[in-house]
Amino acid sequence: KHTEVTAEIGGYIAKTLVEQTYTNPYTEVIEAVYVFPLPGMAAINDFVMQIGGRKIVGLIRSREEAERIYAQARARGQTASLLTQERPNIFTQSVANIEPGGEVKIAITFFEKLAYENKQYEWVFPMVVGPRYIPGTPQPQGDDSAESPTPTPTPTPTTGGGGWAAPTDQVPDADRITPPVLRPGERSGHDIGVTVMLDAGLEVQDLTPVTHCVDVEDVSSGRKVIKLSSADSIPNRDFVLRWKVAGVETQFGVLAHRSDAGG
């Protein structure tokens, strides 16, 4: 239904919270499966599912064990969630047994070190899993019908993983990393909000939203709050933000941090 992204950037370290809301508009219990991108160098450190007033903290398990626990909970009719890393920058979020009219919220927190090139920092939040090259020969899917070795993107899932590409001998999980592609003129059914709280530690120069329309609040010379414009909330391309702190002369800055544990 909706994705809300909140990033706190201190110097060259970014902490990003991604909150995803899943709803069931149907009259039957459903399982929601969402394939989405995250930065390839990010480290996830928190994963929470909220149902009503209950918050359930996720635990890291081996893939096989996590899938087994999830399948057992799904078979028992319990609401369960599974976050699976398919590639360094592609994840699958599965939410089982969402009740009719029900709502489930998933919160993922990750940290990353920002890239610094050409005298500027860059923060990127990927919004799209683009079509990928899938080499190899398609594998049989339980029948004898022939399949094209070069699948064409289509919004209709063709395999158990829901993707447009069938598993091949070189990419056995192709159906899990090729989510349906929208046709020209179509848009995603959900929207996205992005807020970036930037504390550069030095004076921010040449703040540039490369790909989207944003609103910028100047808190101070080194602190900015950047929000994605509501007119640009369709998640159809990556969000890229760049800024410079390098000046002609050497500068110094101080970054302070305070949390529940103190300062």
Side-chain angles (χ1 to χ4, degrees), residues 186-198:
E186 294 181 341
R187 61 151 292 175
S188 172
H190 71 288
D191 59 2
I192 189 168
V194 179
T195 301
V196 180
M197 292 171 283
L198 171 62

Side-chain angles (χ1 to χ4, degrees), residues 73-173:
R74 180 177 58 190
R76 290 194 297 264
Q78 296 174 314
T79 302
S81 182
L82 177 68
L83 177 67
T84 306
Q85 184 181 40
E86 310 292 354
R87 296 292 187 276
N89 62 342
I90 299 179
F91 289 77
T92 297
Q93 177 68 66
S94 303
V95 184
N97 297 315
I98 304 178
E99 296 291 336
E103 182 176 280
V104 177
K105 292 186 177 181
I106 304 294
I108 303 166
T109 305
F110 61 86
F111 289 82
E112 61 182 319
K113 180 180 177 182
L114 301 182
Y116 182 75
E117 295 181 359
N118 299 322
K119 297 184 179 181
Q120 63 183 0
Y121 286 104
E122 180 180 84
W123 181 79
V124 179
F125 185 79
M127 297 185 184
V128 177
V129 177
R132 302 173 70 93
Y133 170 62
I134 305 296
T137 304
Q139 299 299 292
Q141 298 297 304
D143 57 60
D144 297 328
S145 60
E147 295 187 70
S148 169
T150 308
T152 301
T154 170
T156 304
T158 58
T159 64
W164 54 262
T168 71
D169 54 352
Q170 295 187 42
V171 189
D173 62 347

